[in-house]
C-alpha cells in the first residue's frame, strides 16, 4: 500500500518556501504521492441561502498544474495527483497540454484524477455547460489519451473535433494515468469502464466495501482486471491516536485500497450527507503544523513507509 499526503490547500498559505517545504519534507519522509484538491472559482456562500457545499470563496486553492510544475522542480521522487480536477469545466486540449507539460517536467510523476463537479454556478462562471458534464467527460478522457500517445490525431466526436493536430511535447507517460473521483453509480460505472484508478469518497466500512465490490464486478463485466484498478482512500489524521490511525489503515487494506492519502485539514467524509464536510476537530492554522503532522504520522506508523 502506498501512503501519500494531501496538500493542505486551505491552510498552507501563500509563502512559496512553506509550500516547497511541505512537498520536500513529505518526499524525504517516504510519502509516495502528493494529492491536491481543485477549485477554479470560489463562490460566496453568504449570498446563497441554503448553501450545502463544503468549499466556498473563503477556501484558498492553488492552481494545480502551476503548483505541480513548481513542485516538480524542487522534488525528484514524489508523485503528483489531482484529486480531483473538475475536467468538464476545462477545455480538453488545454488540459492535455498542461498535464503533458507537468508530466514531462516531473519525469513522469503525474497522476490525473478527474471528476464531473457538483456546482452549476462554477460551470457557468467558467463558460461551460453543467447538464452534459458526465457525457462530455467520458469523451474528454478518450481525447486526452489519444493526444498523449500520438504526435497527430484526427478525432470526430460529439463534443470534440480535431483535424490532424496534436500537442508537442508529449508526456513521459503515454498515456498519463487517469483516476476517476466520486461515489455515485455513474462514477462507479466510469471507473469500471475507463479508469486506471478510483478516488472514492467513503470510509473503510460496509458502505466502502460494497462500493469496491460493485466497482470490481462491473470491471470484470467490462472485460477488465479489477485488481489492475487502483483505489486511493483519504483519511483525516489530526486529533487521532496512533492506535486509531493504525486501525483505519488496516481497515482500508482489508477492503482493497492500494493507496492512502493522509489529510491534515479539519475535514471528514460525512456518509449520511454523501460529501466532505468541515469537522469540529480544530485546524492547524500554522502552515508548518501541517508539516509536523505528516512527520508525526510517519513516526507513529513507520512500518507503512
Amino acid at each position: 500500500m502506498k501512503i501519500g499526503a494531501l496538500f493542505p490547500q486551505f491552510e498552507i498559505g501563500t509563502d512559496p518556501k512553506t509550500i516547497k517545504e511541505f512537498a520536500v519534507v513529505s518526499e524525504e519522509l517516504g510519502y509516495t504521492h502528493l494529492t491536491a484538491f481543485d477549485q477554479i472559482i470560489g463562490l460566496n456562500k453568504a449570498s446563497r441561502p441554503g448553501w450545502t457545499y463544503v468549499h466556498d470563496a473563503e477556501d484558498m486553492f492553488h492552481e494545480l498544474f502551476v503548483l505541480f510544475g513548481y513542485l516538480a522542480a524542487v522534488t525528484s521522487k514524489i508523485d503528483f495527483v489531482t484529486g480531483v480536477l473538475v475536467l468538464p469545466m476545462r477545455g480538453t486540449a488545454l488540459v492535455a497540454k498542461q498535464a503533458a507539460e507537468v508530466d514531462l517536467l516531473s519525469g513522469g510523476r503525474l497522476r490525473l484524477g478527474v471528476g464531473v463537479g457538483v456546482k452549476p454556478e462554477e460551470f457557468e462562471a467558467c463558460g461551460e455547460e453543467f447538464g452534459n458534464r458526465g457525457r462530455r467527460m467520458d469523451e474528454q478522457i478518450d481525447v486526452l489519451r489519444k493526444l498523449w500517445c500520438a504526435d497527430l490525431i484526427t478525432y470526430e466526436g460529439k463534443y470534440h473535433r480535431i483535424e490532424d493536430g496534436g500537442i508537442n511535447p508529449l508526456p513521459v507517460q503515454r498515456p498519463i494515468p487517469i483516476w476517476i473521483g466520486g461515489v455515485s453509480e455513474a462514477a462507479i460505472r466510469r471507473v469500471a469502464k475507463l479508469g486506471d484508478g478510483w478516488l472514492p469518497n467513503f470510509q473503510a466500512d460496509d458502505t466502502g466495501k460494497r462500493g469496491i465490490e460493485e466497482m470490481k464486478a462491473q470491471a470484470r463485466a467490462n472485460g477488465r482486471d479489477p485488481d489492475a484498478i487502483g483505489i486511493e482512500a483519504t483519511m483525516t489524521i489530526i486529533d487521532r491516536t496512533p492506535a486509531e490511525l493504525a486501525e483505519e489503515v488496516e481497515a482500508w487494506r482489508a477492503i482493497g485500497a492500494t493507496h492512502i492519502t493522509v489529510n491534515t485539514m479539519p475535514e471528514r467524509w460525512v456518509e449520511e450527507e454523501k460529501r466532505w464536510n468541515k469537522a469540529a476537530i480544530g485546524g492547524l492554522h500554522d502552515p508548518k503544523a501541517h508539516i509536523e503532522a505528516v512527520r508525526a504520522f510517519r513516526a507513529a506508523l513507520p512500518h507503512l513507509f
Side-chain angles (χ1 to χ4, degrees):
M1 183 181 292
K2 296 184 177 181
I3 307 296
L6 188 68
F7 182 73
Q9 287 270 45
F10 322 130
E11 297 175 346
I12 195 69
T14 57
D15 185 346
K17 293 180 180 178
T18 305
I19 292 170
K20 171 185 174 181
E21 185 180 4
F22 185 87
V24 169
V25 169
S26 296
E27 180 175 77
E28 290 174 346
L29 290 170
Y31 287 90
T32 61
H33 59 277
L34 192 64
T35 298
F37 294 159
D38 174 46
Q39 179 172 280
I40 297 176
I41 188 163
L43 303 172
N44 181 14
K45 66 180 179 182
S47 64
R48 293 173 169 84
W51 182 264
T52 59
Y53 306 112
V54 60
H55 299 131
D56 54 58
E58 294 180 0
D59 295 314
M60 183 181 63
F61 285 75
H62 290 278
E63 202 287 316
L64 294 185
F65 290 124
V66 176
L67 172 69
F68 288 156
Y70 169 64
L71 295 179
V74 298
T75 59
S76 60
K77 296 181 296 183
I78 199 164
D79 290 338
F80 303 115
V81 185
T82 62
V84 296
L85 184 96
V86 184
L87 185 56
M89 210 179 289
R90 293 167 166 83
T92 311
L94 180 57
V95 171
K97 180 75 172 179
Q98 292 171 313
E101 190 70 11
V102 170
D103 194 65
L104 179 71
L105 294 177
S106 67
R109 290 186 280 142
L110 179 65
R111 180 155 43 98
L112 192 71
V114 298
V116 296
V118 295
K119 303 174 191 173
E121 302 97 327
E122 288 185 350
F123 278 73
E124 181 180 32
C126 292
E128 297 291 348
E129 185 176 343
F130 182 77
N132 64 6
R133 67 197 189 283
R135 295 186 298 276
R136 279 194 295 118
M137 192 171 86
D138 289 346
E139 189 170 293
Q140 284 181 295
I141 290 170
D142 186 37
V143 175
L144 286 172
R145 286 174 169 152
K146 286 180 167 60
L147 284 171
W148 288 331
C149 292
D151 293 325
L152 298 168
I153 71 168
T154 294
Y155 192 97
E156 188 74 44
K158 185 173 182 179
Y159 305 103
H160 300 79
R161 184 176 186 275
I162 302 171
E163 185 176 352
D164 200 21
I167 60 172
N168 188 2
L170 293 172
V172 173
Q173 302 178 94
R174 302 181 188 176
I176 295 168
I178 294 179
W179 288 43
I180 311 296
V183 292
S184 67
E185 292 181 5
I188 292 174
R189 288 196 300 270
R190 192 168 286 118
V191 174
K193 184 177 181 179
L194 301 173
D196 295 304
W198 190 15
L199 295 146
N201 293 329
F202 47 53
Q203 296 301 308
D205 53 18
D206 289 343
T207 299
K209 183 179 179 180
R210 287 194 299 271
I212 290 172
E213 289 173 347
E214 175 62 23
M215 183 276 289
K216 290 190 173 186
Q218 291 196 31
R220 284 189 287 269
N222 279 284
R224 302 184 65 198
D225 177 6
D227 293 332
I229 300 173
I231 300 169
E232 180 176 322
T234 300
M235 54 181 280
T236 299
I237 64 172
I238 58 176
D239 288 1
R240 303 181 68 192
T241 67
E244 289 172 334
L245 295 172
E247 183 179 1
E248 182 169 352
V249 168
E250 291 311 309
W252 277 116
R253 191 193 305 275
I255 66 172
T258 59
H259 299 61
I260 288 180
T261 297
V262 299
N263 171 35
T264 61
M265 295 184 292
E267 294 193 356
R268 287 180 178 159
W269 177 255
V270 181
E271 179 58 35
E272 58 269 24
E273 298 178 11
K274 301 295 183 187
R275 64 186 178 97
W276 283 91
N277 211 338
K278 294 177 181 176
I281 54 178
L284 305 178
H285 300 298
D286 177 359
K288 290 187 178 295
H290 291 274
I291 298 170
E292 294 311 309
V294 295
R295 197 188 301 277
F297 182 84
R298 168 67 170 80
L301 301 174
H303 64 284
L304 297 177
F305 293 82

